[in-house]
């Protein structure tokens, strides 16, 4: 199969705007050499210096947020409003790690008298060159939430971004360079997916992180396992959104719509499976279908647009095929469900009910604005349906009952449980999943420590 072209193609029109030449093996080797050489001295810089550079990156990005938002909208089709919000979220991420990394990586002092020492402690130290394989759906935030903690910990980074967001990938490396980070600290590699193995097997590359599909995660994990290198994987999700009778139904429905169509429905932590108690099921479905049907689909640069195009033609086609297969198997399409007859890779907000467990859509992740709704007789069945998935990334539950809140927090199989709200990533909270959604954590103190050697120091 030929490599995917590295190019900016406008999803709203299907027009290829700009193409890029993939880096040669020699250019990739030179980049790895620069990174390895830079790590030797960069690891010795102190937090004060790294903090100045990180704050400078935040300030530059904040000033350029409108320009950066337009670039992301052009490359992957998210609405201009959400693209601007993503750019500003990256500013927040830069500043969080600039301000907190020193305390998050402080030595952990042990009771020396208990271990027959004069002093004993654990110290976090950087691993070296870390490869990041990142997706297109949040093209700047996904990369920043790796870059900010990795650089503040003293690591250096190599970014292999998705082939359809090359301008965003190059921008981040340029931004960090303009902020003052020395040459070689963070480099973008314009390479195909097939070139990742060669980079990961290079002995100078210490570890890798990947956000993306399950097949991509399996591939990177297998290579890294063979090389005995640490990895963090954030893969797919089919997040449940449970609504119980005590919930504020109006708020739950309104949030359900946003949670499903955020980023044009292309988010791993978007709510995808809506599990509703039978007592309020009919009311929920009526309101949900009405609000999903009312969303405006169109030009992502238009401020009145709610849902823009899907990022790729193949992604739009896959979503259409999944919906068609569900309908053919007997599921009921309550709204949407048909490709739009217009240029670009648009798909309408869609609601599907009457899904049986033998249908493929019951266990698949649908990466587009398509919601599956299920009826649950009680909390036991709601939790059972929520957990009947190979994924375990995020989850949502709506209830005012404290006993139910406790059960959802304890029993939902996921890396995150949000009660009476939509799953969101915050720099202050750990982010990641279980089961086929991956392993390891990003963000918070847990994220910055993932690519550190926790070294025990004992002094007689």
């Amino acid at each position: 199969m030929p490599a995917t072209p590295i190019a900016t193609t406008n999803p709203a029109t299907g027009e290829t705007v700009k193409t890029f030449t993939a880096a040669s093996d020699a250019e990739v080797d030179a980049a790895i050499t620069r990174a390895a050489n830079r790590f030797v001295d960069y690891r010795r810089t102190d937090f004060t210096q790294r903090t100045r550079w990180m704050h400078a990156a935040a300030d530059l990005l904040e000033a350029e947020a409108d320009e950066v938002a337009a670039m992301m909208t052009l490359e992957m089709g998210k609405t201009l409003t959400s693209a601007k919000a993503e750019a500003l979220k990256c500013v927040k991420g830069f500043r969080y790690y600039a301000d907190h990394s020193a305390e998050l990586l402080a030595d952990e002092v042990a009771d020396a008298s208990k271990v027959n020492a004069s002093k004993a402690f654990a110290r976090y130290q950087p691993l070296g060159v870390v490869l990041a394989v990142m997706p297109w759906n949040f093209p700047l935030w996904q990369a920043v939430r790796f870059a900010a903690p990795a650089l503040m910990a003293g690591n250096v980074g190599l970014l292999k971004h998705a082939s359809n967001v090359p301008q965003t990938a190059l921008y981040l490396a340029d931004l960090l360079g303009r902020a003052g980070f020395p040459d070689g600290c963070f480099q973008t590699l314009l390479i195909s997916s097939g070139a990742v193995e060669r980079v990961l097997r290079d002995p100078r590359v210490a570890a890798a992180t990947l956000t993306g599909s399950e097949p991509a995660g399996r591939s990177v994990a297998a290579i890294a396992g063979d090389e005995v290198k640490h990895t963090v994987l954030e893969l797919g999700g089919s997040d449940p959104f449970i609504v119980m009778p005590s919930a504020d139904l109006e708020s739950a429905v309104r949030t359900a719509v946003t949670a499903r169509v955020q980023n044009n429905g292309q988010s791993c932590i978007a709510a995808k499976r809506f599990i509703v108690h039978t007592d309020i099921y009919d009311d929920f479905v009526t309101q949900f279908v009405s609000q999903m049907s009312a969303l405006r689909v169109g030009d992502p640069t238009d401020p009145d647009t709610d849902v823009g195009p899907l990022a790729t033609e193949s992604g739009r086609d896959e979503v259409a095929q999944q919906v068609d297969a569900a309908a053919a198997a007997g599921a009921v399409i309550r709204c949407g469900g048909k490709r739009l007859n217009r240029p670009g890779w648009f798909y309408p907000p869609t609601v599907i009910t009457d899904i049986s467990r033998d249908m493929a859509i019951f266990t698949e992740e649908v990466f587009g604005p398509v919601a599956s709704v299920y009826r649950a007789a009680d909390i036991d069945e709601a939790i059972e349906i929520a957990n009947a998935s190979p994924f375990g990334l995020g989850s949502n539950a709506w209830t005012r009952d404290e006993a139910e809140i406790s059960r959802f927090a304890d029993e939902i199989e996921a890396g995150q449980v949000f009660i009476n709200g939509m799953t969101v990533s915050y720099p202050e909270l750990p982010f990641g999943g279980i089961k086929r959604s991956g392993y390891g954590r990003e963000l918070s103190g847990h994220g910055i420590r993932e690519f550190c050697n926790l070294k025990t120091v004992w002094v007689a």
Side-chain angles (χ1 to χ4, degrees), residues 106-124 454-459:
D107 289 348
E108 296 179 0
V109 179
D111 185 342
S113 65
K114 296 283 183 63
V115 292
N116 301 316
S118 61
K119 59 181 177 179
F121 57 89
R123 173 164 294 172
Y124 291 97
L454 181 56
K455 180 185 287 182
T456 296
V457 179
W458 182 94
V459 181

Side-chain angles (χ1 to χ4, degrees), residues 362-398:
F362 184 83
T363 54
E364 290 177 340
E365 176 184 25
V366 182
F367 216 58
V370 176
S372 301
V373 186
Y374 301 85
R375 186 193 298 267
D378 51 31
I379 188 173
D380 293 327
E381 186 175 20
I383 293 173
E384 190 277 326
I385 295 172
N387 292 340
S389 168
F391 300 105
L393 188 55
S395 61
N396 313 258
W398 287 73

Side-chain angles (χ1 to χ4, degrees), residues 12 19 99 110-111 148 158 243 260 276 283 286 311 318 361 377 453 456:
T19 59
D99 294 337
D111 185 342
L158 296 172
V243 187
R260 178 59 285 220
V276 186
D283 198 6
T286 298
E318 182 176 356
I361 201 169
N453 171 30
T456 296

Side-chain angles (χ1 to χ4, degrees), residues 141-263:
W141 171 239
Q142 298 279 12
V144 164
R145 76 185 192 192
F146 155 73
L151 290 171
M152 285 304 301
N155 293 297
V156 297
L158 296 172
L159 171 63
K160 187 282 180 222
H161 218 321
S163 295
N164 60 326
V165 290
Q167 294 188 60
T168 306
L170 291 168
Y171 171 81
L172 179 57
D174 176 70
L175 171 71
L176 293 168
R178 287 186 288 126
F181 284 96
D183 180 58
C185 276
F186 191 90
Q187 301 172 79
T188 288
L189 304 177
L190 292 183
I191 57 175
S192 68
S193 297
V196 168
E197 179 171 0
R198 185 169 177 275
V199 177
L200 188 49
R201 289 194 184 277
D202 191 296
R204 295 168 295 180
V205 174
T209 180
L210 177 141
T211 298
S213 68
E214 185 182 340
R218 288 177 182 275
S219 175
V220 165
I223 296 165
D226 189 51
E227 295 288 339
V228 197
K229 295 182 179 180
H230 181 66
T231 54
V232 171
L233 303 181
E234 193 263 280
L235 309 179
S238 190
D239 291 7
F241 189 108
I242 301 171
V243 187
M244 299 298 288
S246 67
D248 179 336
L249 188 60
E250 182 179 336
S251 294
V253 172
R254 184 173 61 250
T255 305
V257 173
T258 302
R260 178 59 285 220
V261 302
Q262 61 170 310
N263 209 42

Side-chain angles (χ1 to χ4, degrees), residues 5 89 106 108 136 200 218 222 230 232 275 279 289 304 353 370 378 405:
K89 185 173 186 175
E108 296 179 0
W136 46 260
L200 188 49
R218 288 177 182 275
H230 181 66
V232 171
I275 304 163
D279 291 352
V289 170
D304 291 329
T353 62
V370 176
D378 51 31
I405 290 172

